[in-house]
Amino acid sequence: MTKQVYNFGAGPAMLPVPVMQQIQEEFLDFQGMGVSLIEISHRSKEFEAVINNCDELIRELADLPQNYKILYTHGGAQMQFAGVPLNLLGLKPAHKAIYSESGNFSKLANKEAARYGEIIIATSSADTDYDRIPALTKDMIPDDASYAYITSNNTIYGTRYSEYPDTGDTPLVIDATSDMFSHVVDFSKIGVMFAGMQKNLGPSGTAAVIIREDLIGHAMEKTPSLLDYAVYEKSHSMANTINTFAIYTMSLVMQWLKDQGGIAAIEKVNRVKAATLYDVIDQSSYYSGTAHVDHRSNMNVTFTLPDDESTAAFLKQAGDIGLYALKGHRNVGGVRASIYNAMPLAGCEKLAEFMKEFERTQG
Ligand SMILES: *Cc1c(COP(=O)(O)O)cnc(C)c1O
């Protein structure tokens, strides 16, 4: 028997066990073909069935309106830090966009976008070390802005938008890498949502991009073909050889999500999971949450202990009992428990028990 480990890593993150079992079972012989899924053409009818199935599951689970397209793009989430401005800045002549700076990834995103147009950081929580979500309101968005950009869940700082800002007619663009499909979203209010797959959806290196149809086809002239959303749309993401394994894995994760009862059902579980850990933090004078209480993430729970020695001992003892990869990001320190969709409630309960026990004996 393999050791029972709960993987709290931030990404690449744990995947549902049944998904990995299915991959293992059919890895050498995909659907009786005698070859592996990763050995067959991306243009084969068998792979086409896989990608079509992934599309259908996403549409159904997310209740995606008909005028939204699903693209599978190369280069993970950060390639979209360039992809978004290259494709969308041209929506308006001013080539201007509004960014909310809520953490490290939104900072990287606005820096990259600034290579292609005028980027306005309309709101930021940098002055409080990104412990909260900066408010983005309609009056901050000028009429000549092509889009407004937010990071829905801040993986490093453990904060999240509990409600998306109302951006009026300006398309809202969301980097949802660490919380896509973890909670119910009204896609009709969103222009673009993208996510690197490796946190909630599948393996690393590929992103899923959900985009309103009319926002496709405005790429700047010099946009590389493999960043142009129109090229992806026209070719069903197969202008060149797409990462077939990533899409196959994502299709299995989507099927697993459907088997859990869908996004509304997993959202309920996610709330309970997060509350299990936040309750311990809130009742303790030993642990301190690093995120403002009203802005806390349900995906990444961040907290600190009184000193570095205690943190090291905490991480060591946690590791010894199978609580893996709890070390906080170097920007924040302390502990970070990433509890994406695939993390079972039992993992959070075990961590909560350990936290209480550690405080009792060491605190
Ligand atoms: C992890 C993460 C990224 C980086 O993803 P890559 O696929 O490594 O580029 C970007 N944005 C957010 C919100 C993330 O959590």
Side-chain angles (χ1 to χ4, degrees):
M1 230 194 98
T2 45
K3 183 171 146 197
Q4 167 80 69
V5 167
Y6 289 111
N7 179 2
F8 292 92
M14 69 173 292
L15 290 172
V17 173
V19 166
M20 289 193 290
Q21 278 167 339
Q22 186 173 343
I23 292 171
Q24 186 179 42
E25 275 159 26
E26 58 191 22
F27 193 66
L28 293 180
D29 180 9
F30 184 66
Q31 297 179 355
M33 295 175 78
V35 291
S36 176
L37 180 278
I38 67 166
E39 300 175 303
I40 65 172
S41 169
H42 54 303
R43 304 195 190 283
S44 62
K45 66 176 190 319
E46 288 84 2
F47 181 71
E48 202 180 306
V50 168
I51 193 170
N52 287 339
N53 181 46
C54 194
D55 285 348
E56 276 165 34
L57 285 165
I58 292 171
R59 282 199 178 279
E60 182 188 337
L61 286 163
D63 195 16
L64 213 56
Q66 270 311 312
N67 61 327
Y68 282 72
K69 300 288 180 187
I70 303 160
L71 317 175
Y72 306 95
T73 56
H74 298 288
Q78 293 200 46
M79 192 66 95
Q80 296 313 309
F81 293 180
V84 164
L86 283 165
N87 280 276
L88 301 188
L89 278 173
L91 284 167
K92 296 259 172 85
H95 283 71
K96 184 187 285 184
I98 302 304
Y99 276 65
S100 160
E101 193 179 71
S102 55
N104 202 47
F105 288 116
S106 53
K107 223 163 87 179
L108 290 171
N110 72 52
K111 217 174 133 194
E112 183 73 12
R115 302 174 61 177
Y116 306 108
E118 185 189 347
I119 302 306
I120 297 169
I121 299 161
T123 185
S124 172
S125 52
D127 58 349
T128 54
D129 289 332
Y130 303 117
D131 71 336
R132 66 197 68 198
I133 292 294
L136 179 67
T137 51
K138 240 184 187 159
D139 56 291
M140 296 175 183
I141 304 169
D143 287 341
D144 62 351
S146 296
Y147 64 90
Y149 182 106
I150 66 168
T151 308
S152 51
N153 184 80
N154 297 281
T155 321
I156 294 173
Y157 299 92
T159 63
R160 63 141 188 170
Y161 279 87
S162 50
E163 250 176 85
Y164 296 147
D166 176 7
T167 58
D169 291 335
T170 308
L172 176 63
V173 176
I174 304 178
D175 173 1
T177 296
S178 49
D179 72 346
M180 195 187 255
F181 302 156
S182 70
H183 61 109
V184 175
V185 162
D186 179 357
F187 275 90
S188 72
K189 298 213 162 73
I190 291 167
V192 180
M193 180 181 276
F194 69 88
M197 287 186 184
Q198 71 274 21
K199 284 154 191 166
N200 245 337
L201 310 176
S204 58
T206 302
V209 178
I210 294 175
I211 180 167
R212 212 176 66 209
E213 203 166 37
D214 60 290
L215 302 177
I216 300 175
H218 306 277
M220 286 180 203
E221 208 180 316
K222 289 272 164 70
T223 302
S225 305
L226 287 177
L227 276 170
D228 185 340
Y229 293 153
V231 170
Y232 279 91
E233 203 239 317
K234 229 176 286 157
S235 64
H236 199 185
S237 300
M238 287 191 268
N240 76 329
T241 316
I242 188 67
N243 185 338
T244 51
F245 183 72
I247 293 168
Y248 157 70
T249 305
M250 180 167 171
S251 75
L252 299 181
V253 172
M254 294 297 98
Q255 182 60 52
W256 172 85
L257 188 50
K258 186 175 168 180
D259 296 342
Q260 307 309 300
I263 295 175
I266 208 94
E267 177 174 357
K268 275 194 202 139
V269 180
N270 286 336
R271 281 174 200 260
V272 175
K273 277 156 51 184
T276 302
L277 299 177
Y278 287 128
D279 284 351
V280 177
I281 294 169
D282 291 343
Q283 283 159 26
S284 158
S285 51
Y286 183 68
Y287 302 109
S288 319
T290 57
H292 190 287
V293 177
D294 297 337
H295 300 238
R296 295 196 291 208
S297 166
N298 286 336
M299 297 282 104
N300 310 96
V301 176
T302 52
F303 57 92
T304 55
L305 284 72
D307 53 67
D308 290 349
E309 253 169 41
S310 314
T311 307
F314 180 97
L315 295 171
K316 166 81 175 64
Q317 288 180 33
D320 288 346
I321 60 161
L323 302 170
Y324 173 73
L326 281 163
K327 193 173 193 308
H329 188 275
R330 59 189 179 277
N331 289 11
V332 181
V335 177
R336 170 174 56 178
S338 296
I339 52 172
Y340 305 120
N341 285 352
M343 174 60 70
L345 175 58
C348 294
E349 287 170 346
K350 183 163 176 180
L351 174 57
E353 278 317 305
F354 170 72
M355 287 170 71
K356 285 188 245 175
E357 183 63 15
F358 189 87
E359 177 174 0
R360 196 179 63 76
T361 54
Q362 322 267 321

